[in-house]
Amino acid sequence: MKHEDIAKQIIQDVGGAENINNAWHCMTRLRFNLKDEKKVDYAALDKIPKVVGTKYQSDQLQVVIGTDVADYFAPLAKQLGLDENNQQENTEKKGAVSLFMDTVSGVFGPIVPAIAGAGMIKGLMAGLVALNVISNQTDTYLVIDMIASGVFTFLPFFVAASAARIFKTNQYLAIAIAATLQFPTMTNAVAEGSISAFRLFGLVPVPVFNYAGTVIPIIFAVLALSYIYRWVDKVLPQVLRTVFTPTISLFVAGLVTLTIIGPISIHLGNLLAAGVAGLFTISPVLAGVVVGAIRPIAIFTGLHHAMTPIALQNFANQGYDMLMPMMFMANMAITGATAAIYTKVKTKEEKSIVLSSAVSGILGITEPALFGILSKYKKAFIAATIGSSVASAFISFFGVRIYGYILSSIFSLPAYIGEYFIFAVLGILIALVSSFVITYMLVPKQEDEEVELTNEVDLHAVAKGDYIPLEDVPDEVFSTKMMGEGFAINSVDGAVFSPVSGTITTVFPSKHAIGVRTSNGVEVLVHMGIDTVALNGQGFDVLVKEGDKVTVETKLAQMDLEYIRKQGKETMIIVVITNMDRVLSFSGMRDLEGQHQAGALLERAVLN
């Protein structure tokens, strides 16, 4: 039967299109939200070719197809009049701005530590240079600057790897696109300034631009790659996909990025710069209001680099610049809003990230604050924008200017000494205080953690079944405790629960393993089966996602024990603490042989 015929039969057997509220798919299953589950003909569904099995769970009908489920969802979606890219439950629609910020937040969240660390170093070095403590011409400075600037120079590589995860495409092809943008042929052409564009096939112009440190070009490039890759993989015969899908995808996505996506992103930045220059000719105060308002979102999108040439040209033409002081105000407003979030979060880890981001911001590096903090708290982002706009308008009214290019950090204050110094200081206070107060008023405080922090972590049975000492697990990685201390359970029903209360940190793409972090920082790995990564997710129905809060009563997943065993895999569930440096001693409750109920206390880790 053709895909279209199978889709039609499935629709009929689930009660017809009129019985379907919504449909989507995961890695292996068609999922339906139905009006009446009683109208489903399970016997007929099970007889359809390609239908491996069916189940009704959590108010969803799940029709198991296999890893090629997308090939069947496309015609099914067409027959139901659904978007064939629809893969998740019906959720509240988001506005364009919220969707954009959520995407950027998801992209930058994993790379915030690298940005924050490099930003702290860069800001401190800039401050020491501004105070004439060190010279930026010494070898020591140059070496440390390499450590600090590498992340920002090659930011497209980090963004590409993270965006590939968000857009569900090949991570290494995404990095290859970033490498294309920063290949020496391009960077050398920019440095030499001898040509404005390469000529592809002698006809198509490939503009020469500096993509170092950019964000938007590579995000849209990876988004385009994700669609191109899926389309190529769908069109090619299966025997050709391994070699030709990545080849064609990289070639097409690379050309689209170099000729369309990259140049458009750069031109957007240039358009922004031209608009700013025009505002100053009308009114410096108006320029302060507008530049202050758009500066945070410009940094957020990577378009802020376009303002730098304007400032440099101002220094050359008139000996001073009024744009950079506004950039300073924006940085302080971002810092103030971020500092206010410190009063809202509860966990030590969150407070640490917020604090480092705020310190980095006051030193002139705002990316950690923007990407790591304010993208998650949109009201705080609005507060930063308001504070930036008000402070920038204030200093513009009094004509605050700067006479040399310097990083916009608190250490830049000596550069303002003179007739405008007091207004620059007042502008900083306005930016910090206004953004802090507005954020404090708008952003609600996180609820107190339900679990009181202690120096112990109890590990509970993750399933109903027989206790197995870790030493008896038939996998040396676990039995030799290379991964950490723990235990295993031979489940009798495949239901998997959390061994601790905490937050889901990782759900492996192959669905066979889930990471949980407790409120006091203990990392616990729940590994379902042995060598089950080879199943590519088949046999596992994961019920949680990254960021979810869980307790020992939370069901994490359902294992299809029969299927997993038929594939020749062990089904025992292994629980280990992976950061044993946090553990002082690991003392289990003895006499654990025999069967236990899910949630039973089995082991206890005493923390150092």
Side-chain angles (χ1 to χ4, degrees):
M1 296 176 68
K2 294 181 179 180
H3 293 149
E4 291 80 4
D5 296 333
I6 291 177
K8 183 178 180 180
Q9 188 64 47
I10 290 174
I11 293 172
Q12 178 180 321
D13 292 340
V14 301
E18 63 277 5
N19 193 40
I20 300 173
N21 286 323
N22 194 17
W24 62 100
H25 74 89
C26 56
M27 289 295 293
T28 60
R29 306 171 187 214
L30 294 172
R31 296 173 180 263
F32 298 90
N33 178 274
L34 303 176
K35 295 177 181 177
D36 186 358
E37 188 255 342
K38 294 179 181 178
K39 293 183 179 181
V40 178
D41 188 340
Y42 288 98
L45 279 172
D46 289 335
K47 293 179 182 178
I48 297 175
K50 284 302 298 179
V51 172
V52 178
T54 57
K55 74 158 74 172
Y56 195 88
Q57 179 176 306
S58 301
D59 296 323
Q60 298 173 14
L61 171 65
Q62 302 174 18
V63 179
V64 184
I65 298 293
T67 54
D68 54 348
V69 63
D71 294 338
Y72 294 87
F73 180 74
L76 182 139
K78 186 176 181 180
Q79 292 174 35
L80 292 175
L82 300 173
D83 177 7
E84 70 176 75
N85 292 319
N86 181 23
Q87 297 202 10
Q88 297 181 357
E89 292 186 65
N90 218 7
T91 56
E92 181 182 352
K93 285 191 174 181
K94 298 181 179 180
V97 175
S98 293
L99 181 61
F100 173 77
M101 291 182 69
D102 286 346
T103 300
V104 175
S105 172
V107 169
F108 276 89
I111 61 179
V112 163
I115 298 176
M120 288 287 288
I121 298 171
K122 197 174 182 69
L124 287 169
M125 293 301 291
L128 293 174
V129 170
L131 295 173
N132 294 319
V133 175
I134 61 173
S135 169
N136 59 5
Q137 301 300 314
T138 64
D139 287 350
T140 299
Y141 176 88
L142 295 176
V143 170
I144 297 176
D145 185 61
M146 284 192 288
I147 299 172
S149 299
V151 173
F152 297 101
T153 300
F154 298 103
L155 191 57
F157 288 85
F158 295 84
V159 174
S162 189
R165 180 179 59 86
I166 296 296
F167 299 133
K168 296 179 175 60
T169 193
N170 187 284
Q171 192 173 58
Y172 297 100
L173 286 179
I175 295 172
I177 297 294
T180 300
L181 293 176
Q182 293 195 245
F183 193 72
T185 302
M186 178 67 78
T187 57
N188 291 341
V190 171
E192 294 169 3
S194 56
I195 61 172
S196 60
F198 299 103
R199 290 289 169 180
L200 180 66
F201 308 126
L203 297 172
V204 181
V206 178
V208 172
F209 290 119
N210 180 14
Y211 292 102
T214 57
V215 174
I216 294 302
I218 193 60
I219 289 180
F220 280 106
V222 176
L223 177 60
L225 171 67
S226 68
Y227 283 100
I228 292 169
Y229 189 95
R230 285 196 291 268
W231 180 80
V232 172
D233 199 56
K234 182 178 180 181
V235 170
L236 287 178
Q238 190 164 2
V239 69
L240 300 178
R241 291 176 184 174
T242 302
V243 174
F244 288 100
T245 293
T247 302
I248 297 172
S249 299
L250 177 60
F251 183 76
V252 174
L255 289 183
V256 170
T257 300
L258 288 170
T259 58
I260 301 174
I261 295 174
I264 287 177
S265 299
I266 297 296
H267 287 310
L268 280 174
N270 292 337
L271 185 64
L272 173 64
V276 170
L279 286 173
F280 273 96
T281 63
I282 300 172
S283 166
V285 175
L286 177 62
V289 172
V290 176
V291 172
I294 66 174
R295 179 68 181 179
I297 192 65
I299 301 173
F300 199 79
T301 58
L303 299 177
H304 62 297
H305 296 291
M307 294 185 182
T308 302
I310 302 174
L312 295 174
Q313 193 62 43
N314 287 339
F315 290 131
N317 294 344
Q318 54 198 34
Y320 66 87
D321 172 63
M322 296 178 66
L323 183 60
M324 290 199 68
M326 298 179 193
M327 301 179 190
F328 191 4
M329 297 304 108
N331 284 3
M332 296 303 100
I334 291 168
T335 301
T338 303
I341 294 297
Y342 183 86
T343 67
K344 302 295 183 177
V345 297
K346 286 296 181 182
T347 68
K348 289 183 178 179
E349 182 181 9
E350 287 176 309
K351 285 184 177 292
S352 176
I353 292 175
V354 172
L355 181 61
S356 65
S357 297
V359 172
S360 182
I362 207 166
L363 294 177
I365 306 299
T366 53
E367 283 85 353
L370 278 169
F371 297 129
I373 310 300
L374 300 191
S375 64
K376 299 177 183 177
Y377 298 91
K378 298 172 182 61
K379 291 180 180 178
F381 186 91
I382 293 171
T385 301
I386 294 172
S388 172
S389 186
V390 172
S392 295
F394 174 83
I395 64 170
S396 295
F397 179 80
F398 290 101
V400 175
R401 59 199 61 183
I402 195 170
Y403 297 91
Y405 187 92
I406 191 171
L407 187 70
S408 297
S409 80
I410 198 66
F411 287 113
S412 302
L413 266 178
Y416 291 86
I417 293 177
E419 61 178 310
Y420 301 107
F421 182 73
I422 183 62
F423 302 115
V425 173
L426 289 174
I428 292 171
L429 291 175
I430 290 172
L432 286 169
V433 174
S434 62
S435 60
F436 184 98
V437 171
I438 296 171
T439 299
Y440 189 86
M441 293 172 60
L442 293 181
V443 177
K445 196 170 187 177
Q446 286 185 358
E447 295 181 2
D448 292 333
E449 292 288 337
E450 293 182 3
V451 181
E452 183 179 353
L453 296 182
T454 67
N455 69 334
E456 295 180 345
V457 170
D458 292 336
L459 297 181
H460 299 258
V462 291
K464 177 183 178 182
D466 294 323
Y467 172 88
I468 301 173
L470 202 59
E471 296 86 347
D472 294 341
V473 172
D475 186 326
E476 289 187 1
V477 173
F478 293 107
S479 63
T480 58
K481 302 184 180 179
M482 279 190 272
M483 291 289 293
E485 282 278 11
F487 60 88
I489 293 286
N490 236 339
S491 173
V492 298
D493 57 11
V496 184
F497 295 83
S498 178
V500 293
S501 294
T503 304
I504 300 297
T505 57
T506 308
V507 176
F508 283 71
S510 51
K511 302 182 181 180
H512 74 295
I514 298 172
V516 187
R517 181 190 294 119
T518 67
S519 56
N520 43 18
V522 174
E523 302 278 355
V524 182
L525 175 68
V526 179
H527 193 283
M528 294 173 278
I530 296 176
D531 196 30
T532 45
V533 66
L535 300 180
N536 294 319
Q538 293 190 13
F540 301 94
D541 186 14
V542 176
L543 307 175
V544 293
K545 61 183 184 300
E546 291 181 19
D548 284 355
K549 300 290 185 181
V550 298
T551 69
V552 295
E553 297 178 353
T554 304
K555 187 175 180 180
L556 303 181
Q558 178 69 43
M559 300 171 64
D560 188 337
L561 300 179
E562 182 180 357
Y563 173 83
I564 295 171
R565 288 170 184 146
K566 283 182 179 179
Q567 310 310 307
K569 308 296 183 184
E570 288 278 356
T571 58
M572 63 180 61
I573 306 163
I574 305 156
V575 177
V576 292
I577 295 176
T578 56
N579 58 339
M580 288 296 293
D581 57 304
R582 292 279 289 110
V583 178
L584 180 65
S585 61
F586 191 83
S587 55
M589 300 174 66
R590 298 304 96 193
D591 301 324
L592 291 173
E593 290 187 7
Q595 191 173 107
H596 298 269
Q597 294 293 325
L601 177 60
L602 296 182
E603 304 277 8
R604 175 167 291 157
V606 180
L607 309 184
N608 51 30

